[in-house]
Amino acid sequence: MSGNQSGDVLVLGAGVVGLGIAFTLARAGHPVTVVDPAPASGATHAAAGMIAPVAELAHQEEALLPLTLDSARRYRGFVDDVAAVSGRDAGYATTPTLVCGFDAADRDALAALYRVQLRLGLDVEQLTTREARRREPLLGPHLTAAYLLPHDHQVDPRVLSRALLAALEALGVRVIAQRAEALLSTPAGSGTSGSSGGRVAGARLADGSTVEADETIVATGVAADLPGLPAPLPLRPVHGDVLRLRPPAGFPALTHTVRAIVRGVPVYVVPRFDGTLVLGATAREDGGSGLQAGGVHTLLRDGITLLPALAEATITDAVARARPGTPDNMPLLGRMRDADGAAVAGLVLATGFFRHGVLLTPLAGAAVRGLLVGDPLPVAEPCDPDRFALIPRATAP
Ligand SMILES: Cc1cc2nc3c(=O)[nH]c(=O)nc-3n(C[C@H](O)[C@H](O)[C@H](O)COP(=O)(O)OP(=O)(O)OC[C@H]3O[C@@H](n4cnc5c(N)ncnc54)[C@H](O)[C@@H]3O)c2cc1C
C-alpha cells in the first residue's frame, strides 16, 4: 500500500485492548482506522479470558482492584453492545469460579488471601471440600481448601476478538494489515502542536505509507515501545504457556472455572461453551517465547492433580504468548509527557495490561474515550504512563 490515508483516530494494534478501544470510539462516532499485521494474534490469542477481579487479587496489587472491579461491572454492557453491532455472540459466560488448595501450605495461602478479600468486601464464600466436590465431582482427592467466587466470570478472547472485528467492519472501521514502524511526529514550534511540545500525527507503516490522524492510540501490547514515543516504556514480556483440550465423549461438563494452588503452583481450567477446556498458565520471565516443554509438563501435572479425568482429554491447541508486564503490574494508559512535562498532543498509550488485558478491555475503551473528549476517567488515574519518571528520549525521531 502506498500514499497517505487519513483518519481522525488511529489505533495501532488489534489485540483485545486495541479492538475494544477502536470499537468504543467508533461506536461513539469517531472515524477510526486500525493497523495490525495479524489482528488478535498476540497475548489475546493465548488468554483464558477470566473476568476474575476477586480471584486475581494478589498481595501487593491492591491498587489494581478498583480498575478490575470497574471493568468487570462494565463487561455485560460491553459484550451486549459488541453482539448487537456485530450480530455475533461475543463469547461471554457467567460461569462461577471455584478456588482450591491441595496441601497445608496451599490452604494457608488461600486462607490469607481470603482474609484480604473479606476485608475488602469482596464476594467470596468459604466452602467445605465436600461442598466443592458436590459442585464439581471431577475434582481430585486431597483437597485442603475451597472457595466459591460467584461473580468471577469469563469470556472467550478468540470469540470476542472475532466479534469485535465484525463489529468494526459493521461500523465502517478500516483495518489495515500492516505493521506500524514509527509514530509520525510534528516537532515542537511547528505551530501545529496543541501543547508546548511536539505532537504525534499518525504512523508510518512497514510499506513506507503513512496514516495521519488527530489522535494515535498505541495498543501494540508488549511491542508498544515504538520509535517516536517521547520515552522508552518500562515493559517486560512475561511468557505464558497454555493448553486447550477436548474431553472424551461422556466426560461430565465442568460448570465452574476451577482455579487452584497445587503445592504452591497456580493452575486453572476454564470450561468453554463448546465443551473444550483451557488449561493454564505458566508465567515465565526467562525470555523464551516458544512453548516450553517444562511449562507444558507443569500444566499437565497440576491440571491432572486438580481434575484427574483431564488425563483422558485430547490436546487440541498449545501456545505461548507474552503478557505485557510493567514494574507495578498496572497498565500504562493515558497521555505521555515530553521532556518539559507537557502532554504530547495526539498520543494515547494503552498497554501494560499484563495478566488482565481481557478483563480490563471495557475500562480501557471508556478511559481512552474519556481522554479524547476531555473527561478523563478518575479510576484510570493510577495508570498514568509517566508514573515511573521515565528518561526522555534524546531526540524525537
Ligand atoms: C497464557 C495467558 C493467559 C492469559 N489469561 C488472561 C485472563 O484469563 N484474563 C485476562 O484478563 N487476561 C489474560 N491474559 C493477559 C491478556 O492476554 C493480555 O493482557 C492482553 O491480551 C493484552 O492485550 P493487548 O491488546 O494489549 O496485547 P496483544 O493481545 O498482545 O495484542 C497486541 C497486538 O498488537 C499487534 N502489533 C504488535 N506490534 C505491532 C506494530 N508495530 N504495528 C501494529 N500492530 C502491532 C500484534 O499483532 C497484536 O495483535 C493472559 C495472557 C496469557 C499470555
Side-chain angles (χ1 to χ4, degrees):
M1 189 182 299
S2 62
N4 292 346
Q5 306 113 29
S6 65
D8 284 350
V9 179
L10 172 61
V11 179
L12 304 179
V16 68
V17 171
L19 289 171
I21 291 169
F23 172 73
T24 304
L25 297 181
R27 200 155 174 279
H30 294 267
V32 177
T33 300
V34 175
V35 167
D36 192 321
S41 63
T44 301
H45 183 66
M50 291 175 289
I51 309 300
V54 181
E56 284 290 322
L57 178 71
H59 298 296
Q60 316 294 336
E61 283 186 18
E62 286 180 30
L64 254 178
L65 189 64
L67 296 159
T68 55
L69 287 174
D70 177 289
S71 202
R73 278 193 287 271
R74 293 175 188 269
Y75 235 96
R76 168 62 79 185
F78 178 75
V79 290
D80 285 352
D81 287 349
V82 174
V85 175
S86 67
R88 303 173 72 128
D89 176 59
Y92 182 69
T94 55
T95 323
T97 296
L98 276 182
V99 178
C100 305
F102 274 80
D103 67 12
D106 301 338
R107 183 190 56 216
D108 293 350
L110 290 176
L113 191 57
Y114 177 58
R115 286 193 290 277
V116 177
Q117 289 164 334
L118 286 185
R119 174 168 59 74
L120 295 169
L122 300 174
D123 207 355
V124 52
E125 182 189 338
Q126 188 165 21
L127 302 180
T128 62
T129 54
R130 177 194 294 258
E131 174 62 10
R133 215 172 271 103
R134 192 193 62 72
R135 287 177 164 272
E136 283 301 353
L138 292 180
L139 278 170
H142 314 306
L143 288 188
T144 55
Y147 297 87
L148 174 67
L149 284 53
H151 297 121
D152 274 15
H153 296 153
Q154 62 145 315
V155 69
D156 183 334
R158 296 180 183 181
V159 174
L160 175 60
S161 301
R162 285 196 290 270
L164 280 164
L165 281 164
L168 293 185
E169 189 178 353
L171 291 168
V173 171
R174 184 167 183 209
V175 180
I176 302 174
Q178 285 271 340
R179 225 181 89 79
E181 291 282 336
L183 301 178
L184 295 176
S185 298
T186 305
S190 66
T192 57
S193 172
S195 73
S196 63
R199 73 171 294 135
V200 168
R204 180 163 47 76
L205 309 189
D207 66 355
S209 67
T210 56
V211 183
E212 290 170 13
D214 297 326
E215 297 280 358
T216 301
I217 320 298
V218 177
T220 45
V222 76
D225 205 356
L226 287 172
L229 288 174
L233 302 181
L235 282 174
R236 69 184 199 286
V238 182
H239 291 98
D241 307 292
V242 63
L243 304 175
R244 282 161 172 83
L245 302 102
R246 181 173 297 286
F251 192 92
L254 282 187
T255 56
H256 300 72
T257 289
V258 184
R259 303 177 62 127
I261 309 180
V262 179
R263 297 178 197 100
V265 181
V267 66
Y268 56 74
V269 178
V270 182
R272 295 285 190 236
F273 278 130
D274 62 2
T276 58
L277 303 169
V278 182
L279 170 61
T282 59
R284 300 185 279 106
E285 301 201 37
D286 53 11
S289 57
L291 187 73
Q292 197 188 60
V296 172
H297 167 77
T298 305
L299 289 178
L300 290 172
R301 182 196 65 198
D302 296 340
I304 291 169
T305 301
L306 181 62
L307 298 164
L310 265 190
E312 297 165 38
T314 305
I315 298 172
T316 56
D317 188 56
V319 295
R321 290 290 188 278
R323 306 169 183 89
T326 63
D328 58 2
N329 297 340
M330 299 273 288
L332 304 171
L333 177 61
R335 296 212 182 266
M336 291 184 78
R337 281 182 278 279
D338 62 18
D340 300 325
V344 176
L347 171 67
V348 176
L349 192 62
T351 183
F353 288 87
F354 191 36
R355 301 195 314 266
H356 306 110
V358 182
L359 165 56
L360 292 175
T361 287
L363 172 86
V368 173
R369 164 100 179 110
L371 286 172
L372 298 201
V373 299
D375 185 16
L377 219 56
V379 71
E381 272 170 26
C383 304
D384 179 352
D386 288 310
R387 65 187 178 276
F388 300 111
L390 305 175
I391 300 162
R393 292 190 199 278
T395 51

PDB file of all heavy atoms in Angstrom, residues 57-62 109 112-113 116:
ATOM      1  N   LEU A  57      -6.973 -11.016  42.637  1.00  0.00           N
ATOM      2  CA  LEU A  57      -6.395 -10.124  43.646  1.00  0.00           C
ATOM      3  C   LEU A  57      -5.135 -10.777  44.211  1.00  0.00           C
ATOM      4  O   LEU A  57      -5.156 -11.893  44.701  1.00  0.00           O
ATOM      5  CB  LEU A  57      -7.400  -9.886  44.777  1.00  0.00           C
ATOM      6  CG  LEU A  57      -6.884  -9.007  45.903  1.00  0.00           C
ATOM      7  CD1 LEU A  57      -6.759  -7.566  45.445  1.00  0.00           C
ATOM      8  CD2 LEU A  57      -7.803  -9.094  47.118  1.00  0.00           C
ATOM      9  N   ALA A  58      -4.043 -10.072  44.106  1.00  0.00           N
ATOM     10  CA  ALA A  58      -2.783 -10.614  44.617  1.00  0.00           C
ATOM     11  C   ALA A  58      -2.240  -9.652  45.663  1.00  0.00           C
ATOM     12  O   ALA A  58      -2.502  -8.451  45.611  1.00  0.00           O
ATOM     13  CB  ALA A  58      -1.784 -10.777  43.476  1.00  0.00           C
ATOM     14  N   HIS A  59      -1.486 -10.205  46.600  1.00  0.00           N
ATOM     15  CA  HIS A  59      -0.842  -9.351  47.590  1.00  0.00           C
ATOM     16  C   HIS A  59       0.024  -8.341  46.849  1.00  0.00           C
ATOM     17  O   HIS A  59       0.627  -8.643  45.831  1.00  0.00           O
ATOM     18  CB  HIS A  59       0.014 -10.197  48.526  1.00  0.00           C
ATOM     19  CG  HIS A  59      -0.805 -11.196  49.305  1.00  0.00           C
ATOM     20  ND1 HIS A  59      -1.772 -10.826  50.218  1.00  0.00           N
ATOM     21  CD2 HIS A  59      -0.823 -12.533  49.278  1.00  0.00           C
ATOM     22  CE1 HIS A  59      -2.323 -11.905  50.735  1.00  0.00           C
ATOM     23  NE2 HIS A  59      -1.774 -12.957  50.177  1.00  0.00           N
ATOM     24  N   GLN A  60       0.094  -7.137  47.344  1.00  0.00           N
ATOM     25  CA  GLN A  60       0.880  -6.046  46.740  1.00  0.00           C
ATOM     26  C   GLN A  60       0.223  -5.474  45.485  1.00  0.00           C
ATOM     27  O   GLN A  60       0.782  -4.610  44.842  1.00  0.00           O
ATOM     28  CB  GLN A  60       2.317  -6.466  46.363  1.00  0.00           C
ATOM     29  CG  GLN A  60       3.063  -7.275  47.382  1.00  0.00           C
ATOM     30  CD  GLN A  60       3.355  -6.489  48.643  1.00  0.00           C
ATOM     31  OE1 GLN A  60       3.400  -5.277  48.616  1.00  0.00           O
ATOM     32  NE2 GLN A  60       3.516  -7.193  49.751  1.00  0.00           N
ATOM     33  N   GLU A  61      -0.931  -5.981  45.083  1.00  0.00           N
ATOM     34  CA  GLU A  61      -1.548  -5.467  43.853  1.00  0.00           C
ATOM     35  C   GLU A  61      -2.921  -4.873  44.137  1.00  0.00           C
ATOM     36  O   GLU A  61      -3.778  -4.829  43.261  1.00  0.00           O
ATOM     37  CB  GLU A  61      -1.688  -6.580  42.809  1.00  0.00           C
ATOM     38  CG  GLU A  61      -0.404  -6.937  42.109  1.00  0.00           C
ATOM     39  CD  GLU A  61      -0.628  -7.940  40.974  1.00  0.00           C
ATOM     40  OE1 GLU A  61      -1.763  -8.100  40.521  1.00  0.00           O
ATOM     41  OE2 GLU A  61       0.357  -8.568  40.583  1.00  0.00           O
ATOM     42  N   GLU A  62      -3.147  -4.407  45.368  1.00  0.00           N
ATOM     43  CA  GLU A  62      -4.487  -3.929  45.706  1.00  0.00           C
ATOM     44  C   GLU A  62      -4.882  -2.692  44.903  1.00  0.00           C
ATOM     45  O   GLU A  62      -6.067  -2.425  44.712  1.00  0.00           O
ATOM     46  CB  GLU A  62      -4.600  -3.662  47.208  1.00  0.00           C
ATOM     47  CG  GLU A  62      -4.683  -4.966  47.995  1.00  0.00           C
ATOM     48  CD  GLU A  62      -4.787  -4.754  49.496  1.00  0.00           C
ATOM     49  OE1 GLU A  62      -5.341  -3.733  49.925  1.00  0.00           O
ATOM     50  OE2 GLU A  62      -4.288  -5.625  50.233  1.00  0.00           O
ATOM     51  N   ALA A 109      -2.115 -20.301  52.329  1.00  0.00           N
ATOM     52  CA  ALA A 109      -2.001 -19.176  51.383  1.00  0.00           C
ATOM     53  C   ALA A 109      -3.390 -18.692  50.983  1.00  0.00           C
ATOM     54  O   ALA A 109      -3.651 -17.474  50.931  1.00  0.00           O
ATOM     55  CB  ALA A 109      -1.204 -19.604  50.155  1.00  0.00           C
ATOM     56  N   ALA A 112      -5.075 -16.813  53.844  1.00  0.00           N
ATOM     57  CA  ALA A 112      -4.562 -15.445  54.000  1.00  0.00           C
ATOM     58  C   ALA A 112      -5.196 -14.527  52.952  1.00  0.00           C
ATOM     59  O   ALA A 112      -5.596 -13.387  53.254  1.00  0.00           O
ATOM     60  CB  ALA A 112      -3.040 -15.442  53.868  1.00  0.00           C
ATOM     61  N   LEU A 113      -5.319 -15.036  51.731  1.00  0.00           N
ATOM     62  CA  LEU A 113      -5.931 -14.237  50.667  1.00  0.00           C
ATOM     63  C   LEU A 113      -7.419 -13.998  50.967  1.00  0.00           C
ATOM     64  O   LEU A 113      -7.953 -12.902  50.749  1.00  0.00           O
ATOM     65  CB  LEU A 113      -5.760 -14.961  49.320  1.00  0.00           C
ATOM     66  CG  LEU A 113      -6.100 -14.159  48.080  1.00  0.00           C
ATOM     67  CD1 LEU A 113      -5.282 -12.864  48.011  1.00  0.00           C
ATOM     68  CD2 LEU A 113      -5.831 -15.002  46.832  1.00  0.00           C
ATOM     69  N   VAL A 116      -7.923 -11.119  53.211  1.00  0.00           N
ATOM     70  CA  VAL A 116      -7.793  -9.844  52.485  1.00  0.00           C
ATOM     71  C   VAL A 116      -9.066  -9.580  51.671  1.00  0.00           C
ATOM     72  O   VAL A 116      -9.612  -8.468  51.667  1.00  0.00           O
ATOM     73  CB  VAL A 116      -6.554  -9.860  51.559  1.00  0.00           C
ATOM     74  CG1 VAL A 116      -6.458  -8.572  50.758  1.00  0.00           C
ATOM     75  CG2 VAL A 116      -5.285 -10.080  52.369  1.00  0.00           C
TER      76      VAL A 116
END
